[in-house]
Every structure is written in structure tokens, then in C-alpha cells.
Amino acid sequence: MAGAWANQIIQGILLGGLYAMFAIGLSLSVGIMRFVNIAHGDLIVLVSFLLLTLTTRLGVPLLVATAIVVPVAFVGGYLLQRLLLQRVLGQGVLSIVLVTFGLSVIIQNALQGIYGADTRLIQGGGIETETIQLAGGINIGMLPLAIFVFAVALVFALDLLLYRTRLGARIRAVSDDVASANLVGLRSAHIYAVAMGIVGVTVALSAGFMSVWTNFDPTSGPSRLLVAFEAVVLGGLGSLWGTLAGGIIVGIAQSLGAQVDAGWQLLAGHLVFLAVFLIRPQGLFPK
Amino acid sequence: MTGVRNVTFQFDKRLLVLIGRGVLVLLAAMLVAAPWIFDLADLQVITELLCLLVLAVMWNLLAGYADIVTIGQHGFVGIGCYAFYAFAVFTDVGPYAAILLAGLTTLVFALPAMIVVFRLRAAYLAVGTWVLAEVMMLGAGKIDAFGAGLGISLPVSVVREFGGNIAERFTTIYWMALILAVTAMAATYFLMRSATGIGLTAMRDNEEAAGAVGVNLFRARVICFLWAAPFLGLAGALITLQKLRIAPAASFSIIDWTVYIIFIVVIGGVGSFEGPVIGTFVFFLIREYLQSWGVWHFIVLGGVSIAMVLIEPRGIWGLLRRVVPGDLIPVSHRPPRGS
């Protein structure tokens, strides 16, 4: 029995890696631009459908397809910020919520109009069935393990980017004080847009992972947004390592909930989020 | 063309306010006479619209004035649906008392919800309320007495209490919906005219200045949140009476009770009293004529509301207000003459 629980905790940690992937982009936009993009989950699903078209219609292998989509997502994120979000950034929370909310509804319904409401999964070419056997009957899937390692590496890389490079210093300067940053000659609109382009890259990468691991359909976006949101809030504003920890907490909670009863997976994740939030509203690792 | 003199047409713009008010009065008169002038199908549509209007007025109160931008309104509507079912079926308080108790139950649920909502930073609040609504929906789906995930129909005996035949029943429900809508608007009107409302309007216009002259922001926001909750629950009870069943997905429908409502208020005009009324009417037209487009009518609604935020954040009423010199429903106090 203890083995089953230990197994669920390990599976939960690995699931947390995927959730951290969803959340890293959201964490960046919250930390840098100070807004929550309601369409974040829908953008992940949108890219997943792009990958679906590339892999099934055009027969491109998933890795190549992801490599094609990543630069497209950077440009997409850049343009989204520059042409749409930047216009309402100064207008307060209501405007940005409404615009990204409208975008979310548009993406969901456009995908439904184009692809239909069917549930999809992309074939990963065998990696999704490979497992490593550990002592005590615990099996670790190669794919979840690879995603987890990638998520940790991505957090590490983005942390370096933000705190060790010129671009990172510019982004942080604009984020801390737009007016002063403009005064010293930084082009804040361009820098915000670059940041959103980086968010787009994380969206594309997490879409690549999600589309082989979990089923998705045009209305899957909101559930991804909620998980990402919970990871970001649990981790604390602006902390990427915190976001990773938050994703793992939600992953473990869901995994243990599912062990009690399959129907309790989602509810357990939300309830643990609320409980931890009430104890530490500022998050685990606030900056 | 030299003979053309500049004829100044003396059109008093204040006339527009009178015309606008005339339209509102006409609309109100039509609603009072509706059971006699409309057939059953139309009456059902109007009942539904009145419930949507109540939800829109409340979302507007929170998002437009109290700075509580929620995406979780469907949570409280669903609580109202389930509470109504519980009181109507499991107790013998009677069906009408069950409706009122549904409103009260929603208020009771709003109290612990506040602990979460008012601790969230502004940017987080919208999604935070969504998580709460999701918890309420998933929780409701775990209770076997309510048919768990599938939901359950209202017993015929309860339905009969509102009228022996369909026509009688729908007329009863219609009157209740009209009373609810009038009460919701009147109550919110008085709230906005009270000291709390004046403070909120001041805050809407300039938060720092309002704080500087001593507006207690936190208290005003709490009052608004608790104000909206019972109305959402009451609307939920009436919605259940029309659908004759409760189910997690339908009673806690984010599309019906939150997505549509946000579009209604944004298109009509956030932060104005006229906005939700105009928005409900426009939404009705869009739904009547574009629903056959399926998913594309959502795309139109989403596109129009994004365009609205970019062009005129105060919606259609904001556009009209550029021409019309005053509010149709004067929420703000007039400054004393000569000052």
C-alpha cells in the first residue's frame, strides 16, 4: 500500500513538470508585464493543434514540427503584445482581462470550427510507451521524466536569461519602472513584446509536450490556465523556481487525489491550492 | 451656392435624454403587459433575458464599480440552483420560500469565498474566482443526493406548485423574473446613490483621489460582493425553474452565466447603469440572428468585445453618451446649482 502511495507521489512530481511547463510562460507574463493572460491555456492548445496539422497532415515528425513552431510562436507572442495587449496595458486590470478573455473565447471557438470538438493526441514515435523500472514496482515513464528534466532546465535557462544577460536586465528595468526605463532610452513596448515572444516560446514547447502526453480538445485551454495559474500563485510572484515548485505541488495533489478516487483528481488539486494559498497568500518563494 | 445661409437647427440635445427615458418607460410598460401581449415561447425568451439582465447588473456592479473583475460568477448561480433544489425537494418550506432561501444560501457561501477573493492581488483575482467556481462545480458533482455528475430533475410535484399547466407556470415564473430584475436594478440603484456608491463612483473615476478624501475602499468592495451574491443565487433558482433540472455542467455553466454576461456588459457599457440593459438587448439580437452560425457567433461576440475595449471601454452607452448629454438613469448626484 505504501508502495502505491510512493508511486503516486513520484508520478505527481513528474506531472508537476508538465504543469510547470504550462506555468512558466504565465509566470513570466505575470512577473514582467503584471497581467494574467486569460488566453494562456488556449494559446497552448492552439499550438498543439498546429502541431497536429504539421504531424498528421504533412507527416512532419513531432520534434521537427516543434522546432518549426517555436520561432513562429516567438513572432506570434511578439505581435500579440505589440499590436493588441500593449494598447490596453496602461488601462488597468479590467481592460487586459477583457481583451485576453475575448481572445480565449475566440481561440476556443475557432479551433472548434476548424478541427471539430474531437479529443486529440499526437503520436510521439515510441517514447511515450518507454518506462524505467525502479524498485518496489514503481515505473517511471521516459516521456514524463524527459519533460520534467526539460522543465527544470528551462527554468534554469530563463533565470540566467533574466538575471545574467543584458536583455534580462532590460526586461527587468522596464518591468520595475516603465517611465524611468523609457527615460534612459529603453524601448519599453519593444522589450515587453520580446518578453511576450519568450512566453510564446515556452507556450510552444509546453504544447509539444502536452500534445503527446495528455488528450486535448478545443476547450482544454481553461483547465491548463487554471493549473498554470495555481502553480504561479503558489510559487510566488515573479519566481520561476517557485513556479516549478507550485507545479509540483499541484501535480502531487492531483495524483494523490486520483489515488483516493479517480473523480477526485481535479478537485484535490484545487483544494490543496486553496489551502496553501490561505496559509501563504504571498506564495512560497515571493521575490 | 452663395445663397446658402448657415441655418442653425436649434436642436436641444437634452431632448435625447428625454427620448432615451421614454424608450425605457415604454420598455418597462411592455414588460408589465408581456403576459397579455406575447405568446408562451416569447414569454420564455423574455424570462431568460430578465435573468441574464440580473446577472449582468451584478457583474457590472462588481467589475464596473467595485473593481472585482470576476470570471467565476457562474459559481454563485450554480449554488443558487442547487440550494433551490435542496430546499424545494428535501424540506417542506414550500417552493417560494425555497427560492428566497436559495438567495440566502448563496450569501452564506459568499462569506468564506471572500477570504480567498479579497486576498488575491488585482491581476490574480479574475482567475482566482474562476478556481473557486470550478471547486463549487466539482464539489456539487460529488453529492449523490443531487444526482452526482449527471444531475437530477425537479420532481413534478414541485413544478406543479408554480401552476397546473405550462401557460400558468410560465406566467408565474415570468412575474418572478420581472420582480427579481426590478428589485435587482432598484436595489443596486439605491446602493449606488448611497454613500457607499458615491465612494465607488469616485473610486471608478480616480482611485487615489477617492482614497485621499477618505473613501473606505475595502468596506465598499465587501458590501458590493455580498450585495451581488444573493441576487445571483435568486437568478439561479429561477433558471432552475425554467430548465426543470440541475446538473453540474448546466447549473454552473461558465458560458451561460459568465461568458455571455461579460460580453453583455462589455458591449453595453461597463460602469454605467444603462450598459447592462443595452447589452442584454444587443445580445438578444445577436443570439436571435447569429446563433445559426454556431461557434462563429462566439467569435463575433469575442471580436466585438475586444474592439469595444480598444475603441470605447464604456461600451455602446459610452458611444451614445458622446452625443447624449446626461444619464438616462441618473445614478450620480447633481452638483448643487450655482456652485
Side-chain angles (χ1 to χ4, degrees), chain B residues 53-98:
Chain B
L53 177 64
V54 173
L55 302 185
V57 168
M58 293 308 149
W59 193 84
N60 181 42
L61 173 67
L62 295 186
Y65 293 94
D67 204 18
I68 304 172
V69 187
T70 93
I71 310 184
Q73 180 152 288
H74 53 291
F76 284 164
V77 178
I79 294 290
C81 295
Y82 272 65
F84 167 70
Y85 182 92
F87 284 111
V89 178
F90 304 142
T91 73
D92 47 14
V93 293
Y96 293 98

XYZ file of all heavy atoms in Angstrom, chain B residues 53-98:
346
model
N -30.245 39.670 -17.443
C -30.106 41.082 -17.064
C -29.681 41.198 -15.600
O -28.790 41.996 -15.267
C -31.431 41.824 -17.315
C -31.443 43.298 -16.888
C -30.459 44.111 -17.700
C -32.851 43.884 -17.031
N -30.296 40.378 -14.739
C -29.936 40.397 -13.318
C -28.453 40.056 -13.160
O -27.716 40.746 -12.454
C -30.808 39.402 -12.517
C -30.306 39.302 -11.075
C -32.262 39.826 -12.554
N -28.018 38.994 -13.857
C -26.607 38.597 -13.770
C -25.705 39.711 -14.297
O -24.636 39.973 -13.748
C -26.362 37.305 -14.557
C -27.185 36.072 -14.160
C -26.741 34.857 -14.959
C -27.073 35.798 -12.682
N -26.132 40.361 -15.376
C -25.323 41.429 -15.980
C -25.220 42.627 -15.038
O -24.145 43.220 -14.884
C -25.915 41.848 -17.321
N -26.337 43.001 -14.397
C -26.324 44.130 -13.461
C -25.323 43.848 -12.338
O -24.552 44.718 -11.927
C -27.739 44.377 -12.897
C -27.686 45.334 -11.710
C -28.654 44.934 -13.976
N -25.307 42.601 -11.865
C -24.420 42.253 -10.749
C -22.953 42.206 -11.186
O -22.070 42.673 -10.470
C -24.836 40.905 -10.143
C -26.180 40.972 -9.466
S -26.248 42.336 -8.279
C -27.981 42.777 -8.349
N -22.703 41.638 -12.384
C -21.311 41.607 -12.856
C -20.794 43.023 -13.052
O -19.652 43.350 -12.711
C -21.199 40.807 -14.163
C -19.767 40.497 -14.489
C -19.032 39.459 -14.017
C -18.889 41.269 -15.333
N -17.747 39.527 -14.505
C -17.634 40.623 -15.309
C -19.042 42.433 -16.088
C -16.538 41.096 -16.030
C -17.943 42.907 -16.792
C -16.713 42.239 -16.767
N -21.686 43.881 -13.561
C -21.312 45.279 -13.790
C -21.047 46.004 -12.472
O -20.106 46.786 -12.359
C -22.434 45.975 -14.568
C -22.109 47.415 -14.875
O -20.986 47.730 -15.244
N -23.076 48.297 -14.690
N -21.870 45.694 -11.448
C -21.653 46.307 -10.136
C -20.253 45.949 -9.626
O -19.514 46.810 -9.143
C -22.723 45.807 -9.154
C -22.537 46.226 -7.688
C -22.711 47.718 -7.524
C -23.495 45.471 -6.781
N -19.891 44.667 -9.778
C -18.588 44.227 -9.268
C -17.439 44.723 -10.144
O -16.489 45.323 -9.651
C -18.551 42.690 -9.176
C -19.522 42.060 -8.174
C -19.289 40.564 -8.084
C -19.387 42.697 -6.803
N -17.515 44.474 -11.452
C -16.386 44.798 -12.331
C -16.327 46.288 -12.634
O -15.254 46.871 -12.718
C -16.476 43.989 -13.623
N -17.493 46.912 -12.818
C -17.532 48.295 -13.274
C -17.350 49.301 -12.160
O -16.890 50.412 -12.390
N -17.731 48.943 -10.931
C -17.653 49.904 -9.840
C -16.721 49.445 -8.719
O -15.921 50.211 -8.223
C -19.045 50.179 -9.259
C -19.958 50.895 -10.206
C -20.829 50.196 -11.027
C -19.951 52.287 -10.300
C -21.674 50.855 -11.909
C -20.787 52.961 -11.174
C -21.650 52.237 -11.975
O -22.470 52.888 -12.850
N -16.869 48.147 -8.323
C -16.150 47.699 -7.130
C -14.763 47.137 -7.452
O -14.075 46.675 -6.552
C -16.977 46.652 -6.392
N -14.384 47.149 -8.748
C -13.041 46.706 -9.121
C -12.826 45.227 -8.767
O -11.730 44.820 -8.427
C -11.981 47.578 -8.424
C -10.663 47.566 -9.177
O -10.683 47.187 -10.355
O -9.635 47.911 -8.581
N -13.906 44.440 -8.827
C -13.791 42.997 -8.599
C -14.132 42.324 -9.928
O -15.294 42.050 -10.224
C -14.760 42.518 -7.500
C -14.527 43.294 -6.203
C -14.610 41.016 -7.264
C -15.550 43.026 -5.126
N -13.113 42.114 -10.772
C -13.357 41.557 -12.100
C -13.400 40.033 -11.974
O -12.364 39.386 -11.915
C -12.249 41.971 -13.082
C -12.600 41.539 -14.492
C -12.026 43.463 -13.035
N -14.592 39.458 -11.909
C -14.682 38.015 -11.703
C -14.955 37.279 -13.015
O -15.585 37.804 -13.922
C -15.778 37.612 -10.696
O -16.973 37.335 -11.408
C -16.010 38.688 -9.679
N -14.410 36.052 -13.064
C -14.765 35.127 -14.139
C -15.413 33.911 -13.483
O -15.492 32.843 -14.048
C -13.530 34.720 -14.970
C -12.741 35.953 -15.388
C -13.930 33.948 -16.218
C -11.569 35.661 -16.283
N -15.872 34.099 -12.238
C -16.414 32.964 -11.502
C -17.857 33.144 -11.096
O -18.349 32.468 -10.209
N -18.542 34.056 -11.784
C -19.924 34.344 -11.410
C -20.811 33.100 -11.481
O -21.746 32.954 -10.696
C -20.452 35.439 -12.342
C -21.857 35.821 -12.077
C -22.138 37.257 -12.481
O -21.704 38.199 -11.847
N -22.870 37.415 -13.555
N -20.479 32.207 -12.420
C -21.324 31.011 -12.575
C -21.301 30.142 -11.327
O -22.213 29.355 -11.106
C -20.880 30.208 -13.789
C -19.419 29.869 -13.821
N -18.435 30.817 -14.007
C -18.763 28.696 -13.661
C -17.248 30.237 -13.972
N -17.415 28.955 -13.765
N -20.274 30.290 -10.484
C -20.219 29.520 -9.240
C -21.412 29.829 -8.346
O -22.100 28.924 -7.868
N -21.684 31.121 -8.154
C -22.789 31.510 -7.274
C -24.146 31.192 -7.907
O -25.100 30.875 -7.206
C -22.696 33.002 -6.934
C -21.628 33.308 -5.915
C -21.171 34.595 -5.732
C -21.088 32.291 -5.133
C -20.184 34.880 -4.792
C -20.096 32.558 -4.190
C -19.652 33.860 -4.031
N -24.241 31.314 -9.222
C -25.508 30.952 -9.884
C -25.792 29.465 -9.636
O -26.910 29.082 -9.285
C -25.445 31.243 -11.398
C -26.737 30.821 -12.082
C -25.172 32.720 -11.643
N -24.756 28.646 -9.787
C -24.923 27.213 -9.583
C -25.300 26.877 -8.148
O -26.151 26.016 -7.906
N -24.683 27.588 -7.187
C -25.043 27.379 -5.781
C -26.535 27.667 -5.600
O -27.257 26.922 -4.922
C -24.211 28.298 -4.855
C -22.729 27.908 -4.889
C -24.737 28.245 -3.428
C -22.408 26.587 -4.229
N -27.004 28.759 -6.244
C -28.428 29.094 -6.161
C -29.307 27.984 -6.725
O -30.332 27.616 -6.140
N -28.904 27.422 -7.863
C -29.658 26.328 -8.491
C -29.766 25.141 -7.528
O -30.852 24.606 -7.282
C -28.958 25.839 -9.765
S -28.867 27.044 -11.088
N -28.619 24.752 -6.990
C -28.584 23.556 -6.128
C -29.297 23.812 -4.803
O -29.985 22.937 -4.291
C -27.130 23.112 -5.896
C -26.645 22.173 -6.975
C -26.526 22.609 -8.277
C -26.364 20.834 -6.693
C -26.115 21.756 -9.282
C -25.944 19.963 -7.692
C -25.823 20.435 -8.983
O -25.422 19.582 -9.977
N -29.133 25.020 -4.237
C -29.789 25.322 -2.967
C -31.302 25.326 -3.146
O -32.043 24.810 -2.307
C -29.302 26.674 -2.443
N -31.768 25.878 -4.262
C -33.210 25.880 -4.521
C -33.731 24.448 -4.573
O -34.744 24.106 -3.954
C -33.528 26.595 -5.839
C -34.937 26.343 -6.303
C -36.012 26.886 -5.610
C -35.185 25.538 -7.404
C -37.309 26.632 -6.023
C -36.480 25.289 -7.818
C -37.544 25.830 -7.126
N -33.015 23.598 -5.292
C -33.423 22.195 -5.385
C -33.477 21.581 -3.996
O -34.455 20.916 -3.630
C -32.448 21.407 -6.268
C -32.848 19.960 -6.439
C -33.650 19.564 -7.512
C -32.448 18.991 -5.517
C -34.027 18.246 -7.662
C -32.835 17.666 -5.656
C -33.622 17.298 -6.734
O -34.004 15.996 -6.872
N -32.445 21.828 -3.200
C -32.363 21.221 -1.866
C -33.549 21.650 -1.000
O -34.221 20.810 -0.404
C -31.035 21.608 -1.199
N -33.824 22.969 -0.982
C -34.913 23.429 -0.109
C -36.272 22.997 -0.649
O -37.185 22.683 0.111
C -34.856 24.954 0.056
C -33.782 25.395 0.994
C -32.672 26.080 0.538
C -33.884 25.100 2.354
C -31.670 26.478 1.409
C -32.877 25.492 3.237
C -31.773 26.183 2.764
N -36.437 22.978 -1.958
C -37.735 22.641 -2.541
C -38.023 21.150 -2.412
O -39.179 20.743 -2.255
C -37.787 23.062 -4.012
N -36.998 20.314 -2.486
C -37.223 18.866 -2.530
C -37.015 18.210 -1.161
O -37.795 17.351 -0.753
C -36.300 18.208 -3.579
C -36.480 16.696 -3.601
C -36.585 18.789 -4.957
N -35.959 18.618 -0.454
C -35.636 17.905 0.793
C -36.316 18.511 2.022
O -36.279 17.934 3.089
C -34.119 17.900 1.031
C -33.333 17.310 -0.104
C -32.114 17.847 -0.495
C -33.820 16.202 -0.805
C -31.401 17.302 -1.551
C -33.100 15.650 -1.860
C -31.901 16.213 -2.239
N -36.877 19.701 1.924
C -37.551 20.303 3.078
C -38.994 20.603 2.685
O -39.371 20.489 1.517
C -36.887 21.627 3.505
O -37.211 22.631 2.533
C -35.385 21.497 3.612
N -39.816 20.999 3.663
C -41.188 21.357 3.301
C -41.454 22.838 3.554
O -42.517 23.223 4.006
C -42.201 20.460 4.029
C -41.883 20.342 5.508
O -41.062 21.158 5.988
O -42.419 19.441 6.168
N -40.454 23.667 3.248
C -40.651 25.114 3.420
C -41.555 25.692 2.335
O -42.052 26.801 2.458
C -39.302 25.882 3.378
C -38.465 25.537 4.583
C -38.555 25.602 2.097
N -41.808 24.941 1.288
C -42.616 25.449 0.180
C -41.729 26.011 -0.910
O -40.603 26.443 -0.643
N -42.225 26.004 -2.149
C -41.378 26.352 -3.297
C -40.953 27.821 -3.317
O -39.839 28.130 -3.727
C -42.265 26.041 -4.495
C -43.654 26.084 -3.970
C -43.586 25.627 -2.548
N -41.835 28.733 -2.858
C -41.472 30.142 -2.931
C -40.422 30.481 -1.893
O -39.471 31.227 -2.156
C -42.712 31.028 -2.773
C -43.645 30.883 -3.950
C -44.752 30.042 -3.884
C -43.400 31.550 -5.143
C -45.594 29.885 -4.969
C -44.224 31.396 -6.240
C -45.329 30.557 -6.152
O -46.139 30.398 -7.234
N -40.597 29.902 -0.687
C -39.576 30.119 0.342
C -38.248 29.516 -0.110
O -37.178 30.064 0.183
C -40.020 29.493 1.657
N -38.322 28.404 -0.855
C -37.092 27.763 -1.332
C -36.306 28.708 -2.235
O -35.068 28.736 -2.202
C -37.423 26.471 -2.068
